[in-house]
Amino acid sequence: MKNILVLMAHPKLEHSRVIANLLDAISGLDNVQITDLYERYPDFNIDVQHEQEALFGADIIIWMHPLYWYAAPPLLKQWMDLVLEYNWAYGHNGIYLKGKYLFNAISTGGSPDAYSEKGHHGYPLKEFLLPYKQTASLCNMIYLPPFHVAGTHNISVHNLQKEANDFKSLILHLRDKKELESLMKLNFLNDFNQ
C-alpha cells in the first residue's frame, strides 16, 4: 500500500460543505494521513522539519483546498514557500520528493462551465493550476490531474455525497494500485473509474 498525505488548507472549514465532506469520506483510512494546516499552524509558524519528514514518508501528496481568487488559501502558499526548500525539494541536491505523486483536490463556487475559454473566468481550470503543476515538475514529482468539485454554493446533498464517495474510491485506488500513470491521461481524477 502507498502512503498518502493530505495537506488540507481551508481557513473556514467550519463553513465548508464540500471539503469537510471529502475529508469525512477518507478519515480513518489506513495509510492516509490528514493534516489540517490551519489547525496545526494558526499563527502561520510552520515547523519545516516536521513537514519535510511527513513528505518524506509519503508516496502521494494531495493539496486539498478551495480555490480562492484563482489560488490556494495563503497558508498553503506559505507552506510551499518554506517547506519546499532549495537542495531539499529541488536543486542539485533536492532529491527528497523525486518520483512522488502530487495533485490538487479543490472546490470552486463556480460551475465547471465557468472555467472554460467561453465561461465566466475565461480559462480552463487547469490553467489556473499551472503553478502547482510546475512546482511538481521542479521538484521532480509526478503531477496528476486535479480532483474538482464545482458549484459548491448550489451543490445538492445527493451530488455532494456522490463526490465524497468518488473521492474515497479514488483514494483507495491510489493507495492500493501499483500503476497510476494511466490517470495522467484524464482531465480530472473525478473520472478515474468511468
Side-chain angles (χ1 to χ4, degrees), residues 85-98 138-140:
E85 291 180 316
Y86 178 74
N87 278 336
W88 188 86
Y90 69 99
H92 296 297
N93 298 315
I95 59 169
Y96 295 101
L97 299 177
K98 186 175 183 177
L138 185 65
C139 296
N140 292 303

Side-chain angles (χ1 to χ4, degrees), residues 118-186:
K118 295 182 180 180
H120 178 73
H121 300 290
Y123 298 94
L125 181 64
K126 284 190 172 185
E127 291 196 30
F128 293 107
L129 298 177
L130 282 175
Y132 307 102
K133 182 178 182 179
Q134 186 57 29
T135 297
S137 177
L138 185 65
C139 296
N140 292 303
M141 300 173 80
I142 302 162
Y143 188 75
L144 295 172
F147 185 92
H148 175 219
V149 180
T152 59
H153 303 301
N154 301 315
I155 193 168
S156 70
V157 172
H158 172 76
N159 286 344
L160 181 54
Q161 189 59 53
K162 180 189 178 310
E163 295 288 3
N165 290 341
D166 288 351
F167 188 64
K168 181 178 181 178
S169 295
L170 171 66
I171 295 303
L172 292 172
H173 177 82
L174 291 169
R175 183 193 71 183
D176 298 339
K177 300 297 179 191
K178 292 185 190 280
E179 187 278 316
L180 301 180
E181 279 70 28
S182 62
L183 296 175
M184 295 174 69
K185 298 174 187 170
L186 300 173

